[in-house]
Structure formats: structure tokens, C-alpha cells
Amino acid sequence: MRLVVFGLPLLVVILNWLWPLPLPLGLKGVAAALVVVAALYHYWSRLSSGSIFAPEFPRPVIILFNWAFGAIAFLMLFQIALDIGALLVALVTWQPVRIPVAARAAVGGLAGMLSAIGVANALRVPPVRDVSVTVPGLSPAFDGYRLVQLTDMHISRLFPARWARAVVERTNAAGADMIVVTGDFIDGSVAMRRADVAPLAGLYAPDGVLAIPGNHEYFFDYGDWMQHLSELGFHMLLNRHVVITRGGTGLVIAGVTDRSAPAHGQAAPDLAAALAGIPAGAPVVLLDHQPGDAREAVVSGVALQLSGHTHGGMIVGLDRLVARGNNGFVSGRYDVGGMTLYVSNGTGLWPGFALRLGRPSEITRFTLRAG
């Protein structure tokens, strides 16, 4: 499967697009070599750090790799469409298959432009997106309660301290009563990312900053990260909950570990443990990195689930495939048996494929309303 995924784009781009162009043979050879180098981005990433999830190159190099990788993917799709179109024209007109040089140049330019836009969209500091949620059973004392969600920051060489500092400033300016982070803080070990995550200590909300791990925390020294994030001021909800009170009434914020945890020798998500001992009648907001188990949360009486993980699918069209791997949940608000599930598009993005088209990043500000 890996051979098909990475080999097909190379074959299409080099043999179907590049080689027929009227260019000197030497220039074609150099261009083909550059295409191969770009397509092997994740291999170079592994060599740089030991993990494809943490490319340890200078930021401009990572940006260039992401642009080139995206351009190859788009060009493959456009060239296949061009080939099919030319074949259909040839069949209808009973003429040889011909693709004008101008058409090849056009799809090449379009692929490069779309990839550049996608990378630029991925790298921005997200705007605040407002979402109002009616929570059944919420006390009037909590009506208007503001909760800001960050998720999938993937702090790395691509999203460094400067970017993290800007996210913190924008989040604090949102005026939240509470800030929650639903996992995938980082890509890299504590030693690699210590300086880059340092600005996160500046996050502030009156009712605290709560968080859960995402699957990427398990890829890099999970125990060290849980300790370090706690030292930065995050209250980690590892199958646990806290109760926020207003005027004698309560709001439960619960969190679970990631469903990938058992594969790394860590505690599996345990919603029953997270909800053990909660006040009777208090509505529950659940933090769960992956949205796929939302239907189980409904059975446990959760009123609102906040998730991430999917990055919103990153690109319109690709989001349909991502949804299939997450029980149909990929971006935005869902009504799941009376429970509201919100799947954030993410604040940052994995540096191995940092493109966004039609699925913008976000800092999400929820205003809770009494039902």
C-alpha cells in the first residue's frame, strides 16, 4: 500500500507530466530528481529526528517540503484528469491522444498555486470562531459561560514559539471563563520542544486551563510530557473530572485519555472512571481528543463533547475520507442522540502535511446557554 501511495504520484508526475514537456533532457533529469526528493519528505523527516512526525529542519525547509509535497499530490490529480479528458476527446473525434504543452503548464501552475495557498492557510494564527451551544440541564447561573478550545497545535519546528505566543495572546484576549486543550500539543520530545511550548504557560482563564492528551503525545515520551505540561500550568484530566460551581450549582468538565493509549502501554480511555462521583444533575462537558466514540458518550449522559484530531479533513474532498476513519465525524457541530459534539478543525496542523483548503484552522469560543 505504501508503494502505491508514494509510487503512483511519482509515476504520474514524472512520466505523464514532466517527461512529455519540451525541455532539455538534463533539465528533465534534475526536475525528476527534485520530485523524488520532495516525495520522500517523510523519509527525510525520520532521518532528522527518528520520527516522521517531527521534521527537525529549519522552518523554511519544512515549508518548502510541504509546498512541494502538496504540489505533487495536486499535480497527480490534475494530470490524471487531463489524461482522462484527452482520452475521451480522442475517442469522440477518433484522433490520436494529444495534450497541448499549454495544458500541462496550466495544471502545473495551478497545482503549485493551490499548494502555496494551502500551506499559507495552515501556517496562520487562527481567528476566534464563536459557537453557541444550548446545554440541557445547565443552571441559569452558567448561562453565557465562555469556554475556549484549543486543539491539535502540533507545536514543532513548523509551529514554533513565535506562533505559540501569538496563539496564547489571541486566546487570552477571547475572554474565556475556562480554556481547554483537547490534545496533540506537540510533535517532538520535551528536549526538542521545551522552548517552543514555553509560551503556553501564559494561557490564563479564571476557572483554569484544562487539558487531555492526544495521540501524538504518546509518540514522544508520554510520561515526560504529562509532567512537563502540568508544570506549565495545565490541569491534565486523565480519566478524571473537575466541577465548576456557580451559586450552588455545578458544571462538570471531564477528560479521557486517547484511544491509542493501550498500544503505548498507557491507560485506556475510561469514561466511567472520568465521571465517577460527579454531582447528580450536573451537566457534563467531555474532552475527548478523537470524536469516534461520541455515541458511547451519549449513553453516559454527556451533554457536550469537544474533540479534535481530524484537522477538519484539511482539504475539501479529503475530509470525506477522514470522516470515514472517525465514524462519520470530521468537522463542526453534530447532534448525536441529543448530545452536541463539536469537532474542531484544529489550531495548528501536523507538519508532515500542512495544507488547508476550505477547512480553516480555529480557536473556538463556546458560549454555553441554559436549556
Side-chain angles (χ1 to χ4, degrees), residues 60-83:
V61 173
I62 299 175
I63 292 172
L64 183 59
F65 262 124
N66 273 279
W67 170 80
F69 197 79
I72 290 170
F74 285 127
L75 187 50
M76 175 194 69
L77 296 175
F78 295 156
Q79 183 59 48
I80 289 174
L82 201 60
D83 290 341

Side-chain angles (χ1 to χ4, degrees), residues 94-106:
W94 205 245
Q95 298 291 325
V97 175
R98 291 192 180 91
I99 300 177
V101 172
R104 296 184 188 277

Side-chain angles (χ1 to χ4, degrees), residues 23-319:
L23 299 172
L25 183 61
L27 183 57
K28 288 181 183 179
V30 171
L34 290 175
V35 169
V36 172
V37 169
L40 293 175
Y41 169 42
H42 298 111
Y43 174 74
W44 310 130
S45 296
R46 187 186 296 275
L47 287 183
S48 74
S49 69
S51 170
I52 64 170
F53 298 106
E56 292 298 298
F57 307 119
R59 190 170 190 254
V61 173
I62 299 175
I63 292 172
L64 183 59
F65 262 124
N66 273 279
W67 170 80
F69 197 79
I72 290 170
F74 285 127
L75 187 50
M76 175 194 69
L77 296 175
F78 295 156
Q79 183 59 48
I80 289 174
L82 201 60
D83 290 341
I84 293 173
L87 179 60
L88 291 176
V89 169
L91 290 173
V92 170
T93 62
W94 205 245
Q95 298 291 325
V97 175
R98 291 192 180 91
I99 300 177
V101 172
R104 296 184 188 277
V107 296
L110 181 59
M113 181 182 69
L114 282 178
S115 187
I117 293 171
V119 172
N121 287 342
L123 296 182
R124 71 174 184 164
V125 176
V128 174
R129 180 177 185 179
D130 278 301
V131 178
S132 181
V133 180
T134 298
V135 178
L138 186 70
S139 165
F142 282 99
D143 190 70
Y145 192 85
R146 289 179 296 186
L147 189 155
V148 169
Q149 179 194 16
L150 303 175
T151 191
D152 299 273
M153 289 183 283
H154 291 281
I155 291 173
S156 58
R157 286 288 185 95
L158 187 60
F159 296 99
R162 181 176 69 253
W163 180 88
R165 189 173 300 109
V167 167
V168 168
E169 291 173 357
R170 187 162 292 180
T171 301
N172 287 345
D177 294 295
M178 174 183 288
I179 296 170
V180 298
V181 184
T182 50
D184 280 6
F185 284 81
I186 48 81
D187 278 303
S189 66
V190 174
M192 292 175 183
R193 298 283 83 85
R194 186 180 299 275
D196 292 320
V197 301
L200 298 183
L203 286 169
Y204 172 78
D207 286 335
V209 184
L210 312 183
I212 57 170
N215 56 309
H216 280 231
E217 274 73 64
Y218 294 90
F219 299 159
F220 300 100
D221 307 326
Y222 171 80
D224 290 345
W225 270 118
M226 293 305 97
Q227 178 179 342
H228 190 65
L229 291 171
S230 296
E231 291 169 355
L232 289 175
F234 293 95
H235 185 167
M236 302 303 297
L237 296 179
L238 308 178
N239 297 328
R240 301 178 71 178
H241 72 267
V242 298
V243 181
I244 310 301
T245 58
R246 293 283 191 278
T249 62
L251 174 66
V252 175
I253 313 293
V256 292
T257 56
D258 189 71
R259 59 162 65 177
S260 66
H264 299 272
Q266 301 295 334
D270 188 340
L271 184 54
L275 299 181
I278 66 172
V284 176
V285 177
L286 174 65
L287 312 181
D288 188 347
H289 177 65
Q290 300 192 42
D293 294 330
R295 293 181 179 88
E296 297 178 15
V298 175
V299 177
S300 297
V302 173
L304 170 63
Q305 176 175 324
L306 305 181
S307 298
H309 182 63
T310 65
H311 305 156
M314 297 168 287
I315 298 171
V316 173
L318 181 60
D319 59 337

